[in-house]
């Protein structure tokens, strides 16, 4: 065995391939052939899109799990632990299972080098191969057509939304990016589109393949009723009075509606009772998506355990003002202009009695000016921080770009934890601290808050 520890495997994988991102499927197909891997016999749901992928994966898995199905879930990136990326029956994969999968992949790759993400996707497929699953849910890492998960044929493919992001790899316009994302569609199989803004290239891609394209607003839709619950209609099924998804923001209705569209397509293979849908909507959890963490003063015990911080989500109908008192923390992985627009709308719907202080870390390949334009009017003070990795941006460079984008009050701190401390130091009662910009920002912020909670116990 090359390594005994998961951390050593991951560090080595970061250096193996000459490029951090190298889209394509040929390397994976060769390795899978040497492994004599067989495609899954259970339904496979592949979920791509610019924003909303993680929420849709969580909603899909939650509903299926509540129906009693054994689900394998692959998502990325992780917030704190690599093991978060692979779940079997709602449980994170163990270090031992990952190491065993990595060893098999390493032996089978021969002269092929693999990227970090390719190792990750292959490991998920090997873990799922022996897990006796009823369904598999795969989240696309980047794009779709050439993403590693697309080595598996989807029984139903969902594209949640399309906006400008990863333009260096996917294309400079929405039409080109949409065509790349539609690469997860399969001939004759259902293809779901979860946004009301439908690019023509999505339609053209589905038509060329003969995919059964189902779109939000045409083939399925939702609306909130007078009781505060919501109704959904699909092609064959409809539900009235569903509970709101337990993830914050009205965009989650779009995500949940698209997920129900996916599950309607699989009704013959994965039948669902309404009660499972209701329980799945109520119980879904996904850290880092407008996650509200109320943190009391240092001598108070604001939460009962560190686990509460890692899994708490904002109330689904959190649209009222934050209560006066110690600073509130909001964590969101918004890292492109469209996600920043949604974050701005959620902040506006939850007005703050004091100031809004941002802790912001953004990767170098992101549209920093576009993100700033969406949030400029909603943030009073900005603290920018550096992130690790090849795509990181020095805090001073990020600060200069924000200033050029019209943001006056910007300070620099080298690391996320220190930036959180700096925000806490200037926060007054009734202020709020919003941490956003990247998974690499929100993950360390969660760890900072977890340590803070432990110190209060």
């Amino acid at each position: 065995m090359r390594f005994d520890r998961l951390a050593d495997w991951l560090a080595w994988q970061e250096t193996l391939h000459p490029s951090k991102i190298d889209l394509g499927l040929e390397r994976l197909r060769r390795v899978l052939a040497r492994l004599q891997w067989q495609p899954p016999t259970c339904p496979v749901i592949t979920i791509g899109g610019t924003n909303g992928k993680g929420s849709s994966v969580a909603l899909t898995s939650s509903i299926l799990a509540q129906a009693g199905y054994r689900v394998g879930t692959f998502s990325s990136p992780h917030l704190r632990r690599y093991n978060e990326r692979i779940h079997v029956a709602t449980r994170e994969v163990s270090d031992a299972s990952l190491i065993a999968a990595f060893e098999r992949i390493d032996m089978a790759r021969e002269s092929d080098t693999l990227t970090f993400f390719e190792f990750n996707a292959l490991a998920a497929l090997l873990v799922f191969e022996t897990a006796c699953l009823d369904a598999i849910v795969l989240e696309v890492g980047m794009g779709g057509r050439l993403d590693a998960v697309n080595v598996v044929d989807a029984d139903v493919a969902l594209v949640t939304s399309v906006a400008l992001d990863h333009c260096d790899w996917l294309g400079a316009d929405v039409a080109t990016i949409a065509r790349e994302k539609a690469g997860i569609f399969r001939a004759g199989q259902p293809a779901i589109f979860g946004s009301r803004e439908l690019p023509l290239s999505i339609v053209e891609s589905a038509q060329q393949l003969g995919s059964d394209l189902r779109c939000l607003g045409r083939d399925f839709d939702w609306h909130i009723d007078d009781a505060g619950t919501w109704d959904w209609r699909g092609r064959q099924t409809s539900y009235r009075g569903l509970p709101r998804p337990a993830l914050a923001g009205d965009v989650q209705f779009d995500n949940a509606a698209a997920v129900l569209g996916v599950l309607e397509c699989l009704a013959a293979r994965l039948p669902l009772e309404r009660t499972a849908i209701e329980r799945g909507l109520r119980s879904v959890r996904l850290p880092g998506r407008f996650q509200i963490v109320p943190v009391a003063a240092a001598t108070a015990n604001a939460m009962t355990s560190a686990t509460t911080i890692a899994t708490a989500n904002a109330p689904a109908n959190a649209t009222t003002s934050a209560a006066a008192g110690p600073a509130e923390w909001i964590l969101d992985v918004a890292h492109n202009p469209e996600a920043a627009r949604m974050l701005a709308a959620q902040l506006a719907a939850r007005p703050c009695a004091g100031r809004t202080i941002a802790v912001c870390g953004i990767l170098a390949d992101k549209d920093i000016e576009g993100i700033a334009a969406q949030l400029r009017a909603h943030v009073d003070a900005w603290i920018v921080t550096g992130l690790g990795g090849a795509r990181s941006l020095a805090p001073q460079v990020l600060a200069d770009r924000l200033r050029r984008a019209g943001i006056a009050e910007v300070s620099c701190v080298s690391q996320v934890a220190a930036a959180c401390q700096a925000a806490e130091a200037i926060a007054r009662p009734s202020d709020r601290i919003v941490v956003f910009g990247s998974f690499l920002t929100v993950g360390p912020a969660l760890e900072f808050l977890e340590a803070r909670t432990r110190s209060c116990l």
Side-chain angles (χ1 to χ4, degrees):
M1 181 178 290
R2 187 181 293 272
F3 302 109
D4 295 324
R5 298 192 314 138
L6 178 60
D8 295 331
W9 274 103
L10 299 180
W12 173 74
Q13 289 169 24
E14 290 275 17
T15 66
L16 178 62
H17 195 70
S19 302
K20 297 292 183 183
I21 299 172
D22 188 4
L23 300 177
L25 302 180
E26 292 308 311
R27 292 184 301 277
L28 286 94
R29 287 176 176 145
R30 287 194 295 267
V31 174
L32 287 173
R34 294 177 196 130
L35 288 165
Q36 298 183 323
W37 174 82
Q38 295 298 313
T41 57
C42 65
V44 175
I45 301 164
T46 301
I47 299 178
T50 304
N51 295 305
K53 297 191 300 289
S55 297
S56 298
V57 168
L59 285 160
T60 305
S61 301
S62 180
I63 292 170
L64 289 174
Q66 289 295 333
Y69 294 115
R70 187 173 170 84
V71 184
T73 305
F74 172 59
S75 60
S76 67
H78 61 275
L79 281 173
R80 296 179 302 163
R81 282 169 43 86
Y82 182 91
N83 310 60
E84 297 169 19
R85 296 172 178 234
I86 302 172
H87 282 76
V88 172
T90 73
R91 297 178 66 87
E92 285 183 9
V93 67
S94 67
D95 286 9
S97 293
L98 284 168
I99 290 170
F102 290 157
E103 180 68 14
R104 289 182 62 195
I105 295 164
D106 189 26
M107 293 179 65
R109 68 180 180 84
E110 297 180 357
S111 61
D112 282 312
T113 58
L114 298 169
T115 67
F116 186 86
F117 185 77
E118 287 170 341
F119 254 99
N120 191 192
L122 288 170
L125 297 182
L126 294 186
V127 168
F128 296 159
E129 191 176 31
T130 59
C132 300
L133 299 174
D134 299 307
I136 293 173
V137 184
L138 303 174
E139 180 184 350
V140 172
M142 182 186 293
R145 181 177 64 92
L146 298 176
D147 186 82
V149 304
N150 204 35
V151 76
V152 185
D153 291 329
D155 293 279
V156 183
L158 165 61
V159 174
T160 56
S161 64
V162 180
L164 294 176
D165 197 12
H166 298 300
C167 295
D168 291 345
W169 291 278
L170 303 181
D173 56 80
V174 167
T176 303
I177 293 171
R179 193 169 289 109
E180 287 296 311
K181 293 186 182 298
I184 64 175
F185 296 168
R186 289 298 188 269
Q189 299 286 47
I192 312 297
F193 188 71
S195 172
R196 297 183 192 277
E197 299 178 7
L198 176 62
L200 179 60
S201 52
I202 290 283
V203 178
E204 292 172 342
S205 296
Q207 288 174 340
Q208 290 165 6
L209 283 169
S211 301
D212 177 16
L213 181 62
R214 305 186 183 197
C215 302
L216 178 63
R218 185 187 73 187
D219 303 280
F220 60 92
D221 211 344
W222 63 271
H223 75 273
I224 299 175
D225 59 30
D226 293 338
T229 54
W230 64 292
D231 303 334
W232 181 87
R233 65 153 183 87
R235 283 191 184 173
Q236 293 87 31
T237 315
S238 63
Y239 300 102
R240 295 181 62 83
L242 291 171
R244 298 174 65 104
L247 300 175
D250 284 352
V251 70
Q252 298 300 343
F253 290 109
D254 285 354
N255 293 331
V259 165
L260 292 181
V262 167
L263 297 175
E264 182 182 53
C265 296
L266 293 170
R269 300 176 69 184
L270 298 170
L272 293 171
E273 298 289 340
R274 177 191 169 102
T275 53
I277 295 172
E278 292 180 348
R279 290 195 302 266
L281 292 170
R282 289 193 180 103
S283 63
V284 63
R285 296 291 181 267
L286 189 62
R289 276 69 169 182
F290 207 75
Q291 178 182 353
I292 297 175
V293 184
V295 178
T299 57
N301 182 6
M303 295 183 179
T304 57
S305 71
T307 303
T308 304
I309 285 181
T311 60
N313 283 268
N317 58 350
T319 58
T320 58
S321 299
E328 173 182 77
W329 291 74
I330 298 175
L331 311 179
D332 196 287
V333 293
H335 56 268
N336 56 53
E338 179 59 21
R341 183 188 67 79
M342 290 186 282
L343 173 57
Q346 289 172 296
L347 292 173
R350 186 180 174 85
C352 175
R355 298 178 303 160
T356 296
I357 302 164
V359 172
C360 171
I362 306 176
L363 295 173
D365 56 358
K366 299 301 179 181
D367 181 0
I368 293 166
E369 290 75 15
I371 294 169
Q374 296 293 339
L375 287 164
R376 185 168 49 217
H378 301 273
V379 175
D380 301 293
W382 295 67
I383 300 173
V384 299
T385 184
L387 306 174
R391 295 160 61 201
S392 63
L393 192 66
Q396 190 58 57
V397 175
L398 175 56
D400 289 342
R401 291 181 63 175
L402 290 174
R403 292 187 186 102
R404 290 197 296 271
I407 294 171
E409 189 176 342
V410 186
S411 58
C412 299
V413 179
S414 60
Q415 295 180 336
V416 174
C420 290
Q421 287 180 320
E424 190 175 54
I426 64 172
R428 298 187 294 263
S430 301
D431 287 350
R432 65 181 171 192
I433 301 167
V434 181
V435 183
F436 78 95
S438 171
F439 282 78
L440 296 173
T441 311
V442 172
L446 276 170
E447 292 177 347
F448 168 83
L449 291 170
E450 205 174 65
R452 168 70 180 275
T453 300
R454 284 196 297 267
S455 71
C456 294
L457 294 178

